[in-house]
Every structure is written in C-alpha cells, then in structure tokens.
Amino acid sequence: MKHLDRALRVIMLEGEAILNLSTQIDEQFNEVVDCILKTQGRVIVCGMGKSGIIGKKISATLASTGTPSFSMHPGEAFHGDLGMVVKEDIFLAISNSGETDEVIRLLPFLKDNGNTLISMTGNSLSTLAKESKFHVSIAVHQEACPLKLAPTSSTTATLVMGDALAIALMRAREFRPENFA
C-alpha cells in the first residue's frame, strides 16, 4: 500500500466519524447550550491524555468566542487546582471510554461542590456518562490508527463536537467580530 493510499484511508475514516456525529446529536445538545448560557460560572474542560489536549483547544475556542472557560488537567486537580472550581462552574469532562481513572476520581468532589457535569464520551453506558447531568456522544465506529493504539477518529470527533458547542454558544450570545480579542 502506498503512503498516499494510507493517508486517504485516514481521511476517509475520520470524515466518516465526523459525519456520524450528526446521527448521534440529539435534543440534549440544546439543553447543554441552554445550561451553559444560564450559568454565572465558567466552563471548565477536563480530560486526560489526548482528550485533555483536545479539551484545551475546546476551552480556548469557548473563551475566545464569549464563553468564559479554562482547561484543567485531572492530575493537577488534586494538587490544588480544584480550589479554582466554584459551585457555579460547569464541568465538561472528556473521555472516550468514559472510564478514565483520573477523571472519574473527580466525580465525588464535583457532586459535593454542586457543579453541573457534562460529559463527552464514546460510551453512553460508562461511569462518566451515567454520572453526568448531560451526556454528548462522540462515539466512532473505527479509529484510523491500524493498531487501535492512537486515538485518531475519536479525537477528531471530539474536536468537531467541541467546535459545534462553541459556535452554538457564540451564535446564541450574538457574539460579533468586535468582541473577539
């Protein structure tokens, strides 16, 4: 197989993952947007590994388009960063499996603190999805990585869903070019 053929296969698989999101998104997406619009707090985006890297981008897009947001590394959370979380904050947790230990460990604190939990997972039956007030599916049929080791299609799907959320919020806030800094 030529390099170009491999590249085209990755593009096709990831494109399919993105298109598949349109069959998974439902009315709960509207509820997520409305919940974020109503909060007086910030959206704290958290994920481990590649999900955390994608979460940083989602948080940056939210912040630059009118939704106060910052990202939090789940490992750093228990070393003082949870002190930044106030009750009014919404916690957006990202985990493809929905079972990432470092993220799951945060659930008791978030519950005791009264935070609204939104999850983005590839598994609607996971611990994270079940413990969330709102769950957004980012499930993919197949990763582009032939060894099934590197998250590829799943991170692309997560990024696109994060962009969809940010743009929906931006439009709802009537955010304009002069607001962008």
Side-chain angles (χ1 to χ4, degrees):
M1 185 181 272
K2 302 267 189 215
H3 301 302
L4 179 60
D5 293 336
R6 290 181 179 129
L8 289 171
R9 175 140 174 81
V10 170
I11 292 166
M12 294 295 291
L13 286 171
E14 293 198 16
E16 288 172 12
I18 292 168
L19 290 174
N20 187 51
L21 290 176
S22 67
T23 67
Q24 297 179 72
I25 198 166
D26 59 19
E27 190 62 33
Q28 193 165 102
F29 188 86
N30 288 329
E31 295 175 34
V32 168
V33 171
D34 289 341
C35 179
I36 293 171
L37 288 170
K38 290 176 188 170
T39 189
Q40 296 297 309
R42 304 151 301 178
V43 177
I44 302 171
V45 185
C46 184
M48 188 68 192
K50 307 299 182 291
S51 292
I53 293 168
I54 297 298
K56 285 181 184 179
K57 192 278 183 189
I58 292 170
S59 176
T61 301
L62 288 168
S64 68
T65 57
T67 299
S69 180
F70 68 90
S71 63
M72 179 179 290
H73 188 285
E76 298 295 326
F78 282 106
H79 293 277
D81 285 3
L82 284 175
M84 295 185 284
V85 181
V86 297
K87 179 181 179 171
E88 296 78 20
D89 291 334
I90 293 176
F91 207 85
L92 173 58
I94 303 170
S95 168
N96 189 46
S97 69
E99 300 295 344
T100 306
D101 289 340
E102 294 88 346
V103 175
I104 298 300
R105 283 185 57 213
L106 300 173
L107 297 179
F109 169 84
L110 297 170
K111 186 175 185 175
D112 290 347
N113 203 44
N115 297 102
T116 297
L117 177 61
I118 301 168
S119 63
M120 281 190 189
T121 78
N123 180 0
S124 62
L125 301 176
S126 66
T127 301
L128 186 56
K130 288 179 183 177
E131 293 293 321
S132 300
K133 180 169 184 175
F134 303 107
H135 175 255
V136 178
S137 177
I138 50 168
V140 299
H141 296 300
Q142 183 178 355
E143 294 285 6
C145 174
L147 302 176
K148 311 291 185 253
L149 297 174
T152 49
S153 302
S154 59
T155 51
T156 300
T158 306
L159 182 62
V160 169
M161 190 61 77
D163 284 346
L165 180 60
I167 300 307
L169 287 160
M170 181 178 128
R171 297 294 298 263
R173 294 182 195 283
E174 299 180 4
F175 189 86
R176 293 190 274 253
E178 56 267 22
N179 304 122
F180 190 84

